[in-house]
Amino acid sequence: GAMAAPPPRSFSAAEVRSRCAQGACLVRCRRRLYDLSGFVRLHPGGEQLLRRRAGTDVSAALDGPPHRHSANARRWLEQYYLGEMESGDEQGFAARNHADAAQLCARYRGGVWVPQGYNRCLLPQDLVDWQKPLLWQVGYLGEKYDEWVHQPVDRPIRLFHSDILEYFSKTAWYVVFMVWAPVVLYLSWVSYTSLAQGNTRLFSSFTTEYSIPVHKYYFPFIFLLGMFLWSLLEYLIHRFVFHMKPPASNYYLITLHFLLHGQHHKSPFDSSRLVFPPVPASLVMAFFYGILQLMLPQVLGLSVFVGGLCGYVIYDMMHYYLHYGSPKKGTYLYGLKAYHVKHHFEHQKSGFGISTRFWDHPFRTLIPEETFEKED
């Protein structure tokens, strides 16, 4: 049979104060103690806000300012469970602790998230085996998949059995910039010098008499058009491809969804899976380049494409920063980070804009403003 979980360790108030003084970030929720030292830099509200709460009881803060925390945020906290605070009244402590545990178990029954530390609410087994690659398992979750994939955890995900495939499914953020920034610069130079030859005309395939010459000075505007079109494409892909709800009966569509985007929602802070690996990205780009070449004269198609490619690089860098950066409070990026965190933890069916919230307005998928309560 399965081994019994060890009883939770007890911590004195003096020990907690000592650990915090040494730089650890321990918080308590009533008598339950959590170690947020590894998460503190990623905290959406800012590291300083969480540091200020070190050693304190955060039970009121979960429902109070700066905002009401979602059920997913509470589940997230449980992953860092460390033990229990000591109590002078042993009987009262045991009774209160048992009631707390029963309440937690009632709220989280179904066992669809697995804390890394000990947790008395944990069912004997999770819906997946975390010791094995997940990609071939998730399709069997069926109707439970959609709920499971939108309950985030803080642990690395292995997708493939093959070490080679696994290696190519991961990418450090700077690789995207190193690979694609030189391509953007080179193709921009090719586009501009081609336009400078003065023989590019719009509509020449329909009429030679009224075709419009495209001067080299138009290049920046065509480039910006490409970036604008990318921002629309980014929104449409994120909303309709990445957030499709795969049919519960279709193993392959569930597997595809998890590969494309589900794994990012399950483990949003897996730093090696926050940007698009260059090999599959190049296949997608070749597809869009082909479409532009069919629709526009060669140089024009290339000019729009390179603008879109630049938009993509900005988007991937921005996405990484929204997860791992610490923007200053009150800045545009701070608001965008808060917006994206809401998308992950509470509003998965809205808030699809990443590098901009612009397209969430006309498509009516904006996360309601009232959910972002103002701090004092």
Side-chain angles (χ1 to χ4, degrees):
M3 289 176 63
R9 196 191 144 188
S10 268
F11 291 82
S12 67
E15 187 177 356
V16 170
R17 279 196 299 272
S18 169
R19 283 203 185 193
C20 289
Q22 291 167 15
C25 185
L26 307 185
V27 301
R28 59 190 173 90
C29 185
R30 299 176 183 86
R31 298 206 175 278
R32 294 172 69 81
L33 190 67
Y34 303 91
D35 184 356
L36 300 183
S37 306
F39 176 65
V40 67
R41 192 174 62 83
L42 306 174
H43 183 244
E47 181 173 344
Q48 294 309 312
L49 178 64
L50 200 51
R51 288 275 181 206
R52 284 201 300 272
R53 298 198 187 279
T56 67
D57 185 351
V58 298
S59 53
L62 287 171
D63 282 313
H67 60 265
R68 181 185 60 78
H69 285 73
S70 65
N72 269 335
R74 294 158 190 264
R75 286 191 194 93
W76 187 267
L77 180 65
E78 286 303 315
Q79 296 175 105
Y80 309 111
Y81 176 65
L82 197 60
E84 305 287 340
M85 291 292 291
E86 282 180 2
S87 169
D89 177 8
E90 290 298 325
Q91 262 190 319
F93 164 61
R96 274 193 300 273
N97 186 52
H98 181 74
D100 277 354
Q103 186 182 14
L104 274 165
C105 287
R107 283 173 60 187
Y108 300 138
R109 66 176 174 268
V112 292
W113 108 99
V114 180
Q116 289 171 306
Y118 166 79
N119 187 291
R120 66 183 64 230
C121 299
L122 190 57
L123 291 187
Q125 61 185 33
D126 187 25
L127 296 180
V128 295
D129 183 349
W130 285 92
Q131 306 307 313
K132 296 177 182 175
L134 293 192
L135 191 61
W136 316 119
Q137 299 183 56
V138 293
Y140 296 113
L141 295 180
E143 59 189 22
K144 295 179 181 176
Y145 171 75
D146 193 61
E147 182 187 10
W148 174 85
V149 83
H150 288 117
Q151 293 183 331
V153 295
D154 184 12
R155 59 193 300 167
I157 282 177
R158 184 177 177 103
L159 291 177
F160 300 98
H161 291 279
S162 161
D163 289 339
I164 296 172
L165 281 176
E166 186 68 11
Y167 175 80
F168 281 108
S169 73
K170 295 180 171 186
T171 313
W173 69 270
Y174 53 82
V175 171
V176 169
F177 186 81
M178 286 169 61
V179 168
W180 296 116
V183 176
V184 170
L185 291 172
Y186 174 71
L187 293 183
S188 296
W189 177 77
V190 169
S191 300
Y192 181 79
T193 52
S194 298
L195 287 174
Q197 291 173 14
N199 51 17
T200 303
R201 302 182 79 84
L202 197 54
F203 307 125
S204 58
S205 56
F206 301 111
T207 167
T208 49
E209 195 176 346
Y210 297 106
S211 62
I212 304 168
V214 182
H215 297 292
K216 61 182 180 181
Y217 308 113
Y218 293 171
F219 175 73
F221 302 103
I222 303 168
F223 186 92
L224 288 172
L225 173 65
M227 289 185 71
F228 179 77
L229 290 174
W230 159 257
S231 71
L232 174 60
L233 193 62
E234 169 205 318
Y235 174 89
L236 295 174
I237 290 173
H238 190 187
R239 179 178 177 182
F240 294 108
V241 180
F242 289 174
H243 279 274
M244 66 166 178
K245 186 176 179 181
S249 59
N250 195 314
Y251 173 92
Y252 297 103
L253 278 180
I254 291 174
T255 303
L256 179 65
H257 178 268
F258 190 72
L259 177 66
L260 289 176
H261 198 61
Q263 39 105 352
H264 172 55
H265 268 264
K266 190 62 187 173
S267 183
F269 291 105
D270 187 341
S271 61
S272 64
R273 299 190 189 278
L274 276 172
V275 293
F276 204 17
V279 174
S282 60
L283 299 176
V284 176
M285 288 168 192
F287 171 75
F288 286 116
Y289 176 75
I291 290 176
L292 285 169
Q293 287 299 301
L294 289 172
M295 293 171 61
L296 296 165
Q298 189 176 4
V299 182
L300 268 183
L302 183 62
S303 302
V304 172
F305 174 78
V306 73
L309 183 58
C310 182
Y312 157 72
V313 174
I314 292 170
Y315 149 82
D316 244 355
M317 297 300 95
M318 183 88 83
H319 187 214
Y320 185 88
Y321 184 77
L322 294 186
H323 281 267
Y324 272 85
S326 299
K328 193 176 177 184
K329 194 179 163 192
T331 61
Y332 173 75
L333 287 174
Y334 183 90
L336 209 54
K337 182 180 173 83
Y339 189 77
H340 191 58
V341 166
K342 281 275 183 186
H343 167 72
H344 270 281
F345 283 82
E346 200 170 358
H347 293 271
Q348 292 101 348
K349 307 299 181 198
S350 53
F352 299 108
I354 290 177
S355 48
T356 173
R357 280 178 269 190
F358 177 81
W359 295 107
D360 279 317
H361 288 275
F363 286 104
R364 299 181 182 277
T365 53
L366 202 67
I367 295 175
E369 200 63 41
E370 56 267 23
T371 65
F372 297 91
E373 294 176 30
K374 302 290 183 286
E375 262 186 272
D376 298 334

